Amino acid sequence: MSETTTPRSAPSDPLLTTSAPLIRPQRPARPMEEPNSTRQATVHRGGTVPLSAQRRFPGLPSQIAYVRRFVARRLADSPELTTATLLASELATNAITHSASGRATGKFEVCVLQAPGWARVEVRDLGSTTEEPEPQHRDPYDTAEHGRGLDLVEALSSSWGTEPRKDGRGRQVWFEIMWDGDDR
């Protein structure tokens, strides 16, 4: 599957261009595919410029598997692949569950940056005015089904954080992982 798509043309049926309200079909189960965005290059420790890939997804629970595949393709050579896909899945799930990204027309973006021995995954959602992401630090014997995602992120990543999106349309939650022995 390619990371880019061709634009769709507008329907040519004149009945669809009337002022009557349109009934929106159910959102597709497949993610909206975006071409790799051009980001301003920043130099990572060691003097290298990280490789960057970004993709937008509809705010549906079915998209979590696509997020894992996207991150796995980007970090295929990393010894921390399993950890990165798990943590990206947790952040994407939080974006759908705890932000406006999970609403009917919601969406979220995942950005993967990679340099030798280092990777950063950012999940950009549409934000929430009621809660700020933070670990729950639950008792390991607690049987609640929810509330451990950011505990995993905190425990397994080298660093993580949350900040407002630069475009002002929500927030981004990110994590970084580091490993030794990467000679790329």
Side-chain angles (χ1 to χ4, degrees), residues 21-28 104-106:
L22 294 175
I23 297 173
R24 296 186 134 222
Q26 185 177 7
R27 293 189 299 158
T105 59

Side-chain angles (χ1 to χ4, degrees), residues 80-149:
E80 294 293 329
L81 172 65
T82 303
T83 301
T85 55
L86 170 68
L87 299 183
S89 174
E90 291 297 335
L91 295 186
T93 299
N94 284 353
I96 293 169
T97 306
H98 301 293
S99 80
S101 292
R103 293 188 183 148
T105 59
K107 60 187 177 238
F108 63 97
E109 296 174 349
V110 177
C111 181
V112 179
L113 296 104
Q114 183 180 15
W118 172 86
R120 176 180 170 120
V121 176
E122 301 170 350
V123 176
R124 301 172 186 143
D125 62 36
L126 296 177
S128 172
T129 58
T130 59
E131 55 187 276
E132 187 68 26
E134 60 183 56
Q136 300 297 308
H137 301 291
R138 297 214 184 225
D139 183 326
Y141 298 105
D142 184 350
T143 59
E145 290 185 25
H146 303 287
R148 291 182 185 78

